[in-house]
Amino acid sequence: MQVLLNYIDTDNEYEISQFLNSLEDEYLKESWKFATAKIKEIYKL
């Protein structure tokens, strides 16, 4: 969750990309991608 909060504050995709790349479970990865997309939508990033 902290990664998403940092993304909102900085609008820097590097940390979120690193986090997503570190996930091995595809279902979990897709869930986080969805959450990230919604954050982008809500905060217009």
Side-chain angles (χ1 to χ4, degrees):
M1 195 56 141
Q2 188 62 45
V3 174
L4 281 176
L5 294 173
N6 289 346
Y7 176 61
I8 293 167
D9 288 340
T10 65
D11 191 23
N12 184 347
E13 291 192 23
Y14 178 77
E15 187 177 358
I16 197 96
S17 294
Q18 291 297 102
F19 173 72
L20 290 172
N21 289 336
S22 74
L23 296 175
E24 294 179 12
D25 183 295
E26 285 302 315
Y27 179 76
L28 185 58
K29 187 181 285 193
E30 288 304 314
S31 296
W32 274 98
K33 284 181 180 180
F34 178 77
T36 302
K38 290 299 170 187
I39 291 294
K40 284 182 177 181
E41 231 177 81
I42 292 168
Y43 289 95
K44 310 222 185 315
L45 300 173

Short mmCIF file of all heavy atoms in Angstrom, two decimals:
data_model
loop_
_atom_site.label_atom_id
_atom_site.label_comp_id
_atom_site.label_asym_id
_atom_site.label_seq_id
_atom_site.Cartn_x
_atom_site.Cartn_y
_atom_site.Cartn_z
N MET A 1 0.82 -1.18 0.00
CA MET A 1 0.00 0.00 0.00
C MET A 1 0.87 1.25 0.00
O MET A 1 0.52 2.24 -0.64
CB MET A 1 -0.92 -0.04 1.23
CG MET A 1 -2.02 0.92 1.13
SD MET A 1 -2.92 0.63 -0.37
CE MET A 1 -4.52 0.89 0.11
N GLN A 2 1.98 1.20 0.69
CA GLN A 2 2.88 2.35 0.76
C GLN A 2 3.39 2.72 -0.63
O GLN A 2 3.55 3.90 -0.94
CB GLN A 2 4.06 2.07 1.70
CG GLN A 2 4.93 3.27 1.95
CD GLN A 2 4.17 4.40 2.63
OE1 GLN A 2 3.44 4.17 3.58
NE2 GLN A 2 4.34 5.62 2.15
N VAL A 3 3.60 1.73 -1.47
CA VAL A 3 4.06 2.00 -2.84
C VAL A 3 3.03 2.83 -3.59
O VAL A 3 3.38 3.78 -4.29
CB VAL A 3 4.35 0.67 -3.59
CG1 VAL A 3 4.68 0.92 -5.04
CG2 VAL A 3 5.47 -0.08 -2.91
N LEU A 4 1.76 2.49 -3.45
CA LEU A 4 0.71 3.27 -4.10
C LEU A 4 0.64 4.69 -3.55
O LEU A 4 0.47 5.65 -4.30
CB LEU A 4 -0.66 2.59 -3.95
CG LEU A 4 -0.93 1.43 -4.88
CD1 LEU A 4 -2.28 0.79 -4.54
CD2 LEU A 4 -0.92 1.84 -6.32
N LEU A 5 0.77 4.84 -2.26
CA LEU A 5 0.74 6.17 -1.64
C LEU A 5 1.92 7.01 -2.13
O LEU A 5 1.76 8.19 -2.42
CB LEU A 5 0.74 6.06 -0.12
CG LEU A 5 -0.52 5.43 0.49
CD1 LEU A 5 -0.33 5.23 1.98
CD2 LEU A 5 -1.74 6.27 0.19
N ASN A 6 3.09 6.40 -2.23
CA ASN A 6 4.26 7.11 -2.75
C ASN A 6 4.03 7.53 -4.20
O ASN A 6 4.43 8.61 -4.61
CB ASN A 6 5.52 6.25 -2.66
CG ASN A 6 5.99 6.05 -1.25
OD1 ASN A 6 5.55 6.74 -0.33
ND2 ASN A 6 6.87 5.09 -1.05
N TYR A 7 3.41 6.65 -4.97
CA TYR A 7 3.12 6.96 -6.36
C TYR A 7 2.20 8.18 -6.47
O TYR A 7 2.42 9.05 -7.31
CB TYR A 7 2.50 5.74 -7.04
CG TYR A 7 2.08 5.99 -8.46
CD1 TYR A 7 3.01 6.35 -9.42
CD2 TYR A 7 0.75 5.87 -8.84
CE1 TYR A 7 2.62 6.59 -10.73
CE2 TYR A 7 0.36 6.10 -10.14
CZ TYR A 7 1.30 6.46 -11.08
OH TYR A 7 0.91 6.69 -12.37
N ILE A 8 1.20 8.24 -5.62
CA ILE A 8 0.28 9.38 -5.62
C ILE A 8 1.05 10.67 -5.31
O ILE A 8 0.85 11.69 -5.96
CB ILE A 8 -0.86 9.19 -4.60
CG1 ILE A 8 -1.76 8.04 -5.05
CG2 ILE A 8 -1.66 10.47 -4.41
CD1 ILE A 8 -2.72 7.56 -3.98
N ASP A 9 1.94 10.60 -4.34
CA ASP A 9 2.69 11.79 -3.93
C ASP A 9 3.70 12.25 -4.97
O ASP A 9 3.90 13.44 -5.18
CB ASP A 9 3.43 11.53 -2.61
CG ASP A 9 2.50 11.48 -1.42
OD1 ASP A 9 1.37 12.00 -1.52
OD2 ASP A 9 2.91 10.92 -0.39
N THR A 10 4.37 11.30 -5.63
CA THR A 10 5.48 11.65 -6.51
C THR A 10 5.16 11.58 -8.00
O THR A 10 5.86 12.18 -8.80
CB THR A 10 6.68 10.72 -6.27
OG1 THR A 10 6.31 9.39 -6.63
CG2 THR A 10 7.14 10.78 -4.82
N ASP A 11 4.12 10.83 -8.37
CA ASP A 11 3.78 10.60 -9.77
C ASP A 11 4.95 9.96 -10.52
O ASP A 11 5.14 10.15 -11.71
CB ASP A 11 3.33 11.90 -10.44
CG ASP A 11 2.71 11.67 -11.82
OD1 ASP A 11 2.23 10.56 -12.08
OD2 ASP A 11 2.71 12.62 -12.62
N ASN A 12 5.78 9.21 -9.80
CA ASN A 12 6.93 8.53 -10.37
C ASN A 12 6.61 7.05 -10.49
O ASN A 12 6.38 6.38 -9.48
CB ASN A 12 8.15 8.76 -9.47
CG ASN A 12 9.40 8.15 -10.04
OD1 ASN A 12 9.37 7.37 -10.98
ND2 ASN A 12 10.53 8.52 -9.46
N GLU A 13 6.62 6.52 -11.69
CA GLU A 13 6.23 5.15 -11.92
C GLU A 13 7.33 4.12 -11.66
O GLU A 13 7.08 2.93 -11.67
CB GLU A 13 5.70 4.98 -13.35
CG GLU A 13 4.38 5.67 -13.55
CD GLU A 13 3.70 5.28 -14.84
OE1 GLU A 13 3.99 4.20 -15.38
OE2 GLU A 13 2.86 6.07 -15.29
N TYR A 14 8.56 4.58 -11.42
CA TYR A 14 9.67 3.64 -11.25
C TYR A 14 9.44 2.68 -10.09
O TYR A 14 9.58 1.47 -10.24
CB TYR A 14 10.99 4.39 -11.06
CG TYR A 14 12.16 3.47 -10.83
CD1 TYR A 14 12.72 2.78 -11.90
CD2 TYR A 14 12.68 3.27 -9.56
CE1 TYR A 14 13.77 1.91 -11.70
CE2 TYR A 14 13.73 2.40 -9.35
CZ TYR A 14 14.27 1.72 -10.42
OH TYR A 14 15.30 0.84 -10.22
N GLU A 15 9.11 3.22 -8.94
CA GLU A 15 8.93 2.39 -7.74
C GLU A 15 7.77 1.40 -7.93
O GLU A 15 7.89 0.23 -7.57
CB GLU A 15 8.68 3.26 -6.51
CG GLU A 15 8.66 2.48 -5.22
CD GLU A 15 8.48 3.37 -3.99
OE1 GLU A 15 8.42 4.61 -4.11
OE2 GLU A 15 8.41 2.79 -2.90
N ILE A 16 6.68 1.84 -8.51
CA ILE A 16 5.54 0.96 -8.71
C ILE A 16 5.89 -0.10 -9.75
O ILE A 16 5.50 -1.26 -9.61
CB ILE A 16 4.25 1.74 -9.08
CG1 ILE A 16 3.02 0.88 -8.88
CG2 ILE A 16 4.22 2.23 -10.48
CD1 ILE A 16 2.35 1.06 -7.59
N SER A 17 6.66 0.25 -10.77
CA SER A 17 7.09 -0.74 -11.78
C SER A 17 7.98 -1.80 -11.15
O SER A 17 7.83 -2.99 -11.43
CB SER A 17 7.84 -0.06 -12.91
OG SER A 17 7.00 0.78 -13.62
N GLN A 18 8.90 -1.36 -10.31
CA GLN A 18 9.79 -2.30 -9.62
C GLN A 18 8.99 -3.26 -8.74
O GLN A 18 9.25 -4.45 -8.69
CB GLN A 18 10.83 -1.56 -8.78
CG GLN A 18 11.84 -0.81 -9.58
CD GLN A 18 12.66 -1.74 -10.44
OE1 GLN A 18 12.43 -1.85 -11.64
NE2 GLN A 18 13.60 -2.41 -9.86
N PHE A 19 8.01 -2.71 -8.04
CA PHE A 19 7.17 -3.53 -7.17
C PHE A 19 6.39 -4.56 -7.98
O PHE A 19 6.38 -5.74 -7.65
CB PHE A 19 6.21 -2.63 -6.38
CG PHE A 19 5.20 -3.40 -5.59
CD1 PHE A 19 5.58 -4.10 -4.45
CD2 PHE A 19 3.87 -3.44 -5.99
CE1 PHE A 19 4.65 -4.83 -3.72
CE2 PHE A 19 2.93 -4.16 -5.26
CZ PHE A 19 3.33 -4.86 -4.13
N LEU A 20 5.77 -4.12 -9.07
CA LEU A 20 5.00 -5.04 -9.90
C LEU A 20 5.88 -6.13 -10.51
O LEU A 20 5.48 -7.30 -10.58
CB LEU A 20 4.26 -4.28 -11.01
CG LEU A 20 3.12 -3.40 -10.55
CD1 LEU A 20 2.60 -2.56 -11.71
CD2 LEU A 20 1.99 -4.22 -9.94
N ASN A 21 7.07 -5.76 -10.92
CA ASN A 21 8.00 -6.75 -11.49
C ASN A 21 8.46 -7.77 -10.45
O ASN A 21 8.82 -8.89 -10.81
CB ASN A 21 9.21 -6.05 -12.11
CG ASN A 21 8.85 -5.33 -13.38
OD1 ASN A 21 7.87 -5.66 -14.04
ND2 ASN A 21 9.63 -4.33 -13.71
N SER A 22 8.44 -7.40 -9.19
CA SER A 22 8.89 -8.31 -8.14
C SER A 22 7.83 -9.35 -7.76
O SER A 22 8.15 -10.36 -7.14
CB SER A 22 9.30 -7.53 -6.89
OG SER A 22 8.15 -7.04 -6.21
N LEU A 23 6.59 -9.11 -8.14
CA LEU A 23 5.51 -10.04 -7.79
C LEU A 23 5.57 -11.27 -8.69
O LEU A 23 5.66 -11.16 -9.91
CB LEU A 23 4.14 -9.36 -7.94
CG LEU A 23 3.87 -8.19 -7.01
CD1 LEU A 23 2.53 -7.55 -7.35
CD2 LEU A 23 3.87 -8.65 -5.56
N GLU A 24 5.50 -12.44 -8.09
CA GLU A 24 5.55 -13.68 -8.86
C GLU A 24 4.16 -14.24 -9.13
O GLU A 24 3.95 -14.90 -10.14
CB GLU A 24 6.41 -14.71 -8.12
CG GLU A 24 7.86 -14.29 -8.04
CD GLU A 24 8.72 -15.29 -7.30
OE1 GLU A 24 8.25 -16.42 -7.03
OE2 GLU A 24 9.86 -14.94 -6.99
N ASP A 25 3.22 -13.97 -8.26
CA ASP A 25 1.86 -14.48 -8.42
C ASP A 25 1.13 -13.62 -9.45
O ASP A 25 0.94 -12.42 -9.24
CB ASP A 25 1.14 -14.44 -7.07
CG ASP A 25 -0.25 -15.00 -7.12
OD1 ASP A 25 -1.10 -14.41 -7.82
OD2 ASP A 25 -0.50 -16.03 -6.46
N GLU A 26 0.73 -14.21 -10.56
CA GLU A 26 0.09 -13.46 -11.65
C GLU A 26 -1.23 -12.83 -11.23
O GLU A 26 -1.55 -11.72 -11.65
CB GLU A 26 -0.10 -14.34 -12.88
CG GLU A 26 1.18 -14.60 -13.64
CD GLU A 26 1.87 -13.33 -14.11
OE1 GLU A 26 1.20 -12.42 -14.64
OE2 GLU A 26 3.10 -13.25 -13.94
N TYR A 27 -2.02 -13.54 -10.42
CA TYR A 27 -3.30 -12.98 -9.96
C TYR A 27 -3.05 -11.74 -9.10
O TYR A 27 -3.71 -10.72 -9.27
CB TYR A 27 -4.09 -14.03 -9.17
CG TYR A 27 -5.40 -13.49 -8.64
CD1 TYR A 27 -6.49 -13.31 -9.49
CD2 TYR A 27 -5.53 -13.13 -7.30
CE1 TYR A 27 -7.68 -12.79 -9.02
CE2 TYR A 27 -6.71 -12.62 -6.82
CZ TYR A 27 -7.79 -12.45 -7.68
OH TYR A 27 -8.97 -11.93 -7.21
N LEU A 28 -2.10 -11.82 -8.21
CA LEU A 28 -1.74 -10.69 -7.35
C LEU A 28 -1.22 -9.53 -8.19
O LEU A 28 -1.59 -8.37 -7.98
CB LEU A 28 -0.70 -11.12 -6.31
CG LEU A 28 -0.31 -10.11 -5.26
CD1 LEU A 28 -1.51 -9.66 -4.46
CD2 LEU A 28 0.75 -10.70 -4.35
N LYS A 29 -0.38 -9.83 -9.17
CA LYS A 29 0.17 -8.81 -10.05
C LYS A 29 -0.95 -8.09 -10.82
O LYS A 29 -0.96 -6.87 -10.90
CB LYS A 29 1.15 -9.43 -11.04
CG LYS A 29 1.90 -8.41 -11.88
CD LYS A 29 2.85 -9.06 -12.86
CE LYS A 29 4.07 -9.56 -12.13
NZ LYS A 29 5.17 -9.93 -13.03
N GLU A 30 -1.89 -8.85 -11.35
CA GLU A 30 -3.01 -8.25 -12.08
C GLU A 30 -3.88 -7.39 -11.16
O GLU A 30 -4.38 -6.34 -11.57
CB GLU A 30 -3.85 -9.32 -12.77
CG GLU A 30 -3.16 -9.95 -13.96
CD GLU A 30 -2.72 -8.94 -15.00
OE1 GLU A 30 -3.51 -8.05 -15.36
OE2 GLU A 30 -1.56 -9.04 -15.44
N SER A 31 -4.06 -7.83 -9.92
CA SER A 31 -4.83 -7.05 -8.95
C SER A 31 -4.15 -5.71 -8.67
O SER A 31 -4.81 -4.67 -8.59
CB SER A 31 -5.00 -7.83 -7.65
OG SER A 31 -5.76 -8.99 -7.87
N TRP A 32 -2.84 -5.73 -8.52
CA TRP A 32 -2.09 -4.49 -8.27
C TRP A 32 -2.09 -3.59 -9.49
O TRP A 32 -2.16 -2.37 -9.37
CB TRP A 32 -0.67 -4.79 -7.81
CG TRP A 32 -0.61 -5.01 -6.34
CD1 TRP A 32 -0.60 -6.20 -5.67
CD2 TRP A 32 -0.59 -4.01 -5.32
NE1 TRP A 32 -0.58 -5.99 -4.33
CE2 TRP A 32 -0.57 -4.65 -4.08
CE3 TRP A 32 -0.59 -2.61 -5.36
CZ2 TRP A 32 -0.54 -3.95 -2.89
CZ3 TRP A 32 -0.57 -1.92 -4.16
CH2 TRP A 32 -0.54 -2.59 -2.95
N LYS A 33 -2.03 -4.18 -10.68
CA LYS A 33 -2.10 -3.37 -11.90
C LYS A 33 -3.46 -2.67 -11.98
O LYS A 33 -3.54 -1.51 -12.37
CB LYS A 33 -1.88 -4.23 -13.14
CG LYS A 33 -0.44 -4.61 -13.35
CD LYS A 33 -0.28 -5.45 -14.60
CE LYS A 33 1.15 -5.86 -14.83
NZ LYS A 33 1.30 -6.67 -16.05
N PHE A 34 -4.51 -3.39 -11.63
CA PHE A 34 -5.85 -2.81 -11.62
C PHE A 34 -5.92 -1.66 -10.62
O PHE A 34 -6.43 -0.59 -10.93
CB PHE A 34 -6.88 -3.89 -11.29
CG PHE A 34 -8.29 -3.37 -11.22
CD1 PHE A 34 -9.00 -3.09 -12.37
CD2 PHE A 34 -8.89 -3.15 -9.99
CE1 PHE A 34 -10.29 -2.59 -12.31
CE2 PHE A 34 -10.18 -2.66 -9.91
CZ PHE A 34 -10.88 -2.38 -11.07
N ALA A 35 -5.40 -1.88 -9.42
CA ALA A 35 -5.41 -0.85 -8.39
C ALA A 35 -4.63 0.38 -8.85
O ALA A 35 -5.07 1.52 -8.65
CB ALA A 35 -4.82 -1.40 -7.09
N THR A 36 -3.49 0.16 -9.49
CA THR A 36 -2.68 1.26 -9.99
C THR A 36 -3.43 2.05 -11.07
O THR A 36 -3.42 3.28 -11.08
CB THR A 36 -1.35 0.73 -10.55
OG1 THR A 36 -0.66 0.03 -9.51
CG2 THR A 36 -0.47 1.86 -11.05
N ALA A 37 -4.11 1.35 -11.94
CA ALA A 37 -4.89 2.00 -12.99
C ALA A 37 -6.00 2.86 -12.38
O ALA A 37 -6.26 3.98 -12.84
CB ALA A 37 -5.48 0.96 -13.94
N LYS A 38 -6.64 2.35 -11.34
CA LYS A 38 -7.70 3.11 -10.68
C LYS A 38 -7.14 4.35 -9.99
O LYS A 38 -7.75 5.42 -10.01
CB LYS A 38 -8.47 2.23 -9.69
CG LYS A 38 -9.31 1.19 -10.35
CD LYS A 38 -10.33 1.88 -11.22
CE LYS A 38 -11.07 0.94 -12.11
NZ LYS A 38 -11.93 1.61 -13.07
N ILE A 39 -5.98 4.22 -9.38
CA ILE A 39 -5.32 5.37 -8.73
C ILE A 39 -5.01 6.43 -9.78
O ILE A 39 -5.24 7.62 -9.57
CB ILE A 39 -4.04 4.92 -7.99
CG1 ILE A 39 -4.38 4.07 -6.78
CG2 ILE A 39 -3.17 6.12 -7.62
CD1 ILE A 39 -5.10 4.78 -5.67
N LYS A 40 -4.49 5.99 -10.94
CA LYS A 40 -4.20 6.94 -12.02
C LYS A 40 -5.47 7.68 -12.44
O LYS A 40 -5.45 8.88 -12.69
CB LYS A 40 -3.63 6.22 -13.23
CG LYS A 40 -2.20 5.81 -13.08
CD LYS A 40 -1.73 5.14 -14.37
CE LYS A 40 -0.28 4.78 -14.32
NZ LYS A 40 0.18 4.16 -15.57
N GLU A 41 -6.56 6.93 -12.55
CA GLU A 41 -7.84 7.50 -12.94
C GLU A 41 -8.33 8.53 -11.91
O GLU A 41 -8.72 9.64 -12.27
CB GLU A 41 -8.87 6.37 -13.03
CG GLU A 41 -9.66 6.32 -14.28
CD GLU A 41 -10.58 5.12 -14.27
OE1 GLU A 41 -11.66 5.21 -13.65
OE2 GLU A 41 -10.20 4.10 -14.87
N ILE A 42 -8.32 8.13 -10.67
CA ILE A 42 -8.86 8.97 -9.59
C ILE A 42 -8.04 10.24 -9.42
O ILE A 42 -8.59 11.33 -9.30
CB ILE A 42 -8.90 8.18 -8.26
CG1 ILE A 42 -9.95 7.07 -8.36
CG2 ILE A 42 -9.18 9.10 -7.08
CD1 ILE A 42 -9.89 6.05 -7.24
N TYR A 43 -6.71 10.09 -9.42
CA TYR A 43 -5.84 11.23 -9.16
C TYR A 43 -5.34 11.91 -10.44
O TYR A 43 -4.53 12.83 -10.38
CB TYR A 43 -4.65 10.82 -8.28
CG TYR A 43 -5.09 10.52 -6.88
CD1 TYR A 43 -5.39 9.22 -6.48
CD2 TYR A 43 -5.23 11.54 -5.95
CE1 TYR A 43 -5.82 8.95 -5.19
CE2 TYR A 43 -5.65 11.28 -4.65
CZ TYR A 43 -5.94 9.98 -4.29
OH TYR A 43 -6.36 9.72 -3.01
N LYS A 44 -5.81 11.42 -11.58
CA LYS A 44 -5.45 12.01 -12.89
C LYS A 44 -3.95 12.08 -13.07
O LYS A 44 -3.40 13.13 -13.45
CB LYS A 44 -6.10 13.36 -13.06
CG LYS A 44 -7.59 13.34 -12.75
CD LYS A 44 -8.39 14.12 -13.70
CE LYS A 44 -9.86 14.21 -13.37
NZ LYS A 44 -10.57 13.07 -12.98
N LEU A 45 -3.27 10.97 -12.82
CA LEU A 45 -1.81 10.91 -12.95
C LEU A 45 -1.43 10.47 -14.35
O LEU A 45 -2.11 9.82 -15.04
CB LEU A 45 -1.23 9.93 -11.93
CG LEU A 45 -1.49 10.28 -10.47
CD1 LEU A 45 -1.01 9.16 -9.57
CD2 LEU A 45 -0.82 11.57 -10.11
#
